[in-house]
């Protein structure tokens, strides 16, 4: 036995990556209403500030595939998880809406790095092994988001400031990445894959799929961003 790292199956490591990725956003949304109130900004300004995050996610999702080709999904998962978690500390320390917008934009870039990379890794695992794990991976993501949200609610109840929650989360994430992510094997590039990509005008089918996905993302993001405000003001 060469150590405990080898006792965790590749499938379990990938699902752990989905859980860890979910925690990078699960605890953040719970604390955003406090940060809004601390900055003394209205719900309208808060909504505009929050737009910086999906803009970062969108840009990051476009840019990250080339980086995955160059560095591999494993490295990008590790960087995305650690950086997005650490950036939550900067979110808590932002002194004004402008700086908060910038931090949320950068956070969105690294969130996308982790998001695209874990899905690429899961897809590569399916292609290499024939196992179908993608649905389970996203199920684990949902459980990770729920668990982190509940943990953050408990931390709020204890009166612990957001910055301390985020700092503790960053330390824990670095340790968990070392246990679950860094020992993952790098997958070789897909044989025959083109090294360079060019922009192509999407066809009708792609546009329909994109519109369907966008609708779901908008519904999820809007609910996630505003339900915490409703809960704070109502309860």
């Amino acid at each position: 036995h060469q150590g405990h790292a080898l006792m965790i199956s590749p499938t379990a490591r990938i699902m752990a990556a989905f859980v860890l990725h979910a925690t990078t956003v699960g605890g953040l949304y719970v604390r955003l209403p406090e940060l809004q109130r601390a900055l003394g900004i209205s719900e309208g300004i808060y909504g505009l500030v929050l737009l910086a995050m999906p803009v970062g996610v969108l840009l990051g999702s476009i840019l990250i595939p080339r980086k995955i080709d160059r560095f591999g999904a494993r490295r990008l998962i590790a960087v995305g998880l650690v950086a997005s978690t650490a950036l939550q500390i900067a979110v808590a320390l932002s002194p004004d809406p402008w700086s908060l917008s910038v931090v949320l934009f950068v956070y969105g870039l690294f969130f996308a790095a982790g998001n695209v990379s874990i899905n690429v890794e899961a897809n590569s695992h399916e292609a290499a092994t024939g196992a179908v794990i993608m649905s389970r991976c996203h199920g684990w993501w949902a459980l990770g988001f729920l668990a982190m949200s509940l943990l953050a609610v408990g931390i709020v109840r204890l009166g612990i400031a957001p910055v301390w929650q985020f700092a503790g989360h960053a330390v824990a994430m670095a340790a968990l990445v070392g246990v679950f992510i860094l020992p993952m094997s790098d997958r070789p590039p897909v044989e025959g894959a083109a090294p360079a990509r060019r922009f192509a005008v999407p066809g009708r089918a792609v546009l329909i799929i994109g519109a369907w996905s966008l609708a779901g993302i908008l519904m999820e993001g809007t609910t996630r961003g505003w339900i915490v405000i409703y809960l704070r003001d109502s309860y």
Side-chain angles (χ1 to χ4, degrees), residues 25 29 32 46-47 50-51 53-54 141 145 213-228:
V25 70
Y29 271 97
L32 284 177
Y46 164 82
L50 285 187
L51 285 176
M53 190 188 304
W141 194 99
F145 181 87
S213 301
L214 178 62
I217 291 170
L218 289 173
M219 291 173 63
E220 178 187 9
T222 302
T223 303
R224 186 186 292 165
W226 286 102
I227 194 66
V228 286

Side-chain angles (χ1 to χ4, degrees), residues 19-21 23-24 78 81-85 168-178:
V19 173
L20 293 177
H21 184 261
T23 68
T24 66
L81 291 176
V82 173
S84 57
T85 308
H169 191 182
V171 172
M173 180 64 76
L176 291 169
V177 164

Side-chain angles (χ1 to χ4, degrees), residues 49-65:
V49 168
L50 285 187
L51 285 176
M53 190 188 304
V55 171
V57 172
L58 175 61
L59 181 60
S61 299
I62 294 172
L63 298 177
I64 200 63

Side-chain angles (χ1 to χ4, degrees), residues 100-155:
L100 179 58
S101 297
V102 172
V103 174
L104 288 175
F105 172 77
V106 179
Y107 167 88
L109 293 175
F110 284 101
F111 179 85
N115 186 41
V116 175
S117 298
I118 58 177
N119 282 281
V120 167
E121 182 66 20
N123 185 68
S124 298
H125 181 80
E126 287 187 332
T129 64
V132 180
I133 66 169
M134 189 67 78
S135 294
R136 280 186 292 156
C137 286
H138 284 272
W140 278 109
W141 194 99
L143 290 174
F145 181 87
L146 176 62
M148 188 64 210
S149 298
L150 292 173
L151 177 60
V153 169
I155 293 173

Side-chain angles (χ1 to χ4, degrees), residues 192-216:
R197 291 185 173 90
R198 295 195 179 111
F199 178 78
V201 177
R204 180 174 178 271
V206 174
L207 289 174
I208 292 174
I209 294 172
W212 178 269
S213 301
L214 178 62

